Amino acid sequence: MTDAPSTATVGKHPCPECGGDLQWNAAAQSLRCPYCGTIVPWTPAQAADPGAGVVELDLAAALADPAVDRGWGSDRREVQCQSCHAISVFVDGKVAKRCEFCGSPAIIPHESQQDAITPQSLLPFRISDGQVRDLIRTWYGSHFFAPNKLKTAALTDTLSGIYLPYWTFDSHVHATWTAEAGHYYYETEHYTDSKGQRRTRQVRHTRWVPAAGELEHFFDDELVPGTTGVHADLLRVVEPFPTTSDLKPYAHEFVRGWTVERYQVDLRRAAETNMAQMQDQVRALCAAQVPGDTQRNLVVDASYRGRTFKHILVPLWLVSYTYGSRRFQVIANGYTGKVAGEWPVSWVKVFFAGVVALLLAAIVVYVVLQSQ
Ligand SMILES: [Zn+2]
Ligand SMILES: [Zn+2]
């Protein structure tokens, strides 16, 4: 991997005081020099016209010819973790010594692929590292049985700010459906109970009536994660990322000094996931239109048109720590501050809590016996 001289300075933004490369700062919501601390107000190129530059790309065309490489150019290094296989991208000289997803030191250079689709837009960090430490401390406080090691890990420098790859998809859908709508009705039945008494009861029956309808729907910015480094069940907890309104066109300034994860769920696989999600939703929307009290034999015929996509980056704070032989992750949405985490139960704490509970019970019994 060599730096082409013409692109090596792309997006470089020198500090007016010391010449260091400025970086996006979440607390200042502006550029800040990591060397001398100077804060420089900065407006991204298209900021005057929100939404401009955040372009939806045609899905069919991209699947036919994925050779779109724009955005971060050739001034980047990619490394892959030999342990968890996450690929990290660095757009400046900095390269981490360990994998930020699992802590493994076994990272090797990864050849950047020329057909890789580069991010067109991103959601900049809004939660600063100071804020996220407070949020994680509060979260930790509500998990009494988590081990102290988690607290130490969460509050020291194992906290990393990472831009995660996501795909977002738009599509129009037109669907027609047929089904049988069931209407309940009740009839009075006479029967003899176990004691030989004649009784009556109401029995429910269903009258089935053919039904049909159609549906028009627009899917806007349906998200599919492209990450493999962060555990999927955790991500679902800290979603959503407000990608419809607050997305900014990609600029190196946002990304320099932060880690970027390279997607490993490629466009084709992500588009398939998106299609399956849309089909589920369309079926649910059609089912909701069927009249009556119950339904059966729903058949949906849907056609999707104008499918577009974007490849975007979203901000995430990550703490990765080892406990016993396992790795655990605690994450926070870098835009909304929502926290989710995995934590092993500390059996030491559980044991002592049990001992304390037994002692309290013994004291209560003793006091009750004494007072009699
Ligand atoms: Zn400076
Ligand atoms: Zn790793």
Side-chain angles (χ1 to χ4, degrees):
M1 283 181 291
T2 50
D3 289 337
S6 55
T7 53
T9 53
V10 165
K12 289 236 155 118
H13 213 128
C15 169
E17 298 297 323
C18 75
D21 279 333
L22 297 173
Q23 298 178 352
W24 176 254
N25 183 269
Q29 286 292 292
S30 200
L31 297 181
R32 183 178 178 275
C33 176
Y35 306 99
C36 72
T38 302
I39 288 175
V40 180
W42 172 68
T43 327
Q46 290 92 341
D49 179 9
V54 178
V55 185
E56 301 281 348
L57 302 175
D58 184 72
L59 179 61
L63 285 175
D65 176 21
V68 200
D69 193 359
R70 57 175 158 269
W72 53 26
S74 62
D75 184 20
R76 67 175 195 253
R77 305 225 178 355
E78 296 191 2
V79 294
Q80 182 162 33
C81 171
Q82 296 297 85
S83 173
C84 75
H85 307 295
I87 300 172
S88 302
V89 183
F90 301 90
V91 300
D92 54 7
K94 174 205 138 186
V95 172
K97 298 266 188 299
R98 307 179 153 269
C99 171
E100 296 189 75
F101 299 97
C102 74
S104 165
I107 48 176
I108 55 164
H110 176 259
E111 203 61 52
S112 31
Q113 282 155 266
Q114 280 316 301
D115 63 352
I117 297 170
T118 57
Q120 294 100 38
S121 43
L122 57 71
L123 201 59
F125 271 90
R126 197 167 66 170
I127 304 288
S128 70
D129 60 339
Q131 286 172 298
V132 82
R133 281 178 212 277
D134 286 345
L135 291 166
I136 292 178
R137 193 179 289 125
T138 307
W139 177 88
Y140 176 79
S142 64
H143 291 80
F144 175 73
F145 288 117
N148 291 335
K149 178 152 190 191
L150 165 55
K151 187 180 190 183
T152 325
L155 302 176
T156 56
D157 52 18
T158 53
L159 178 70
S160 331
I162 295 168
Y163 279 106
L164 288 191
Y166 261 79
W167 302 98
T168 88
F169 296 91
D170 289 3
S171 182
H172 286 279
V173 60
H174 175 80
T176 55
W177 58 264
T178 58
E180 288 179 75
H183 300 271
Y184 294 147
Y185 64 98
Y186 295 85
E187 283 183 343
T188 307
E189 274 183 18
H190 300 279
Y191 69 104
T192 310
D193 71 10
S194 55
K195 294 186 182 108
Q197 300 272 331
R198 288 287 290 165
R199 292 183 171 276
T200 58
R201 64 184 166 200
Q202 294 290 306
V203 177
R204 194 178 79 188
H205 298 277
T206 309
R207 189 176 71 249
W208 294 103
V209 182
E214 62 181 317
L215 175 86
E216 201 72 54
H217 187 74
F218 179 63
F219 288 100
D220 191 19
D221 285 335
E222 298 286 311
L223 291 177
V224 177
T227 174
T228 52
V230 176
H231 303 166
D233 46 344
L234 283 185
L235 262 189
R236 270 190 292 275
V237 180
V238 303
E239 285 176 359
F241 292 90
T243 51
T244 304
S245 49
D246 299 348
L247 226 47
K248 299 277 184 288
Y250 177 90
H252 288 295
E253 283 87 343
F254 285 126
V255 167
R256 177 170 298 116
W258 302 83
T259 301
V260 180
E261 186 189 0
R262 156 83 155 81
Y263 67 84
Q264 288 190 70
V265 175
D266 67 13
L267 179 60
R268 190 170 297 278
R269 243 173 80 204
E272 285 166 7
T273 304
N274 164 248
M275 179 51 87
Q277 288 171 351
M278 287 195 298
Q279 283 169 339
D280 284 351
Q281 287 187 56
V282 166
R283 197 174 167 80
L285 289 168
C286 291
Q289 287 189 354
V290 180
D293 305 306
T294 182
Q295 56 185 263
R296 67 184 184 191
N297 297 335
L298 175 66
V299 177
V300 175
D301 181 16
S303 63
Y304 298 81
R305 66 196 154 74
R307 284 185 78 192
T308 60
F309 77 98
K310 295 190 296 281
H311 176 34
I312 64 167
L313 299 174
V314 301
L316 191 90
W317 288 104
L318 169 72
V319 177
S320 172
Y321 68 104
T322 312
Y323 192 76
S325 58
R326 291 180 56 201
R327 296 296 302 181
F328 294 87
Q329 292 185 336
V330 177
I331 62 173
N333 186 315
Y335 202 78
T336 64
K338 190 156 187 217
V339 179
E342 300 158 337
W343 45 280
V345 169
S346 165
W347 294 110
V348 176
K349 285 191 182 178
V350 172
F351 176 76
F352 282 109
V355 169
V356 168
L358 280 176
L359 277 176
L360 284 176
I363 290 169
V364 168
V365 169
Y366 179 78
V367 168
V368 169
L369 288 177
Q370 289 297 304
S371 63
Q372 280 177 348

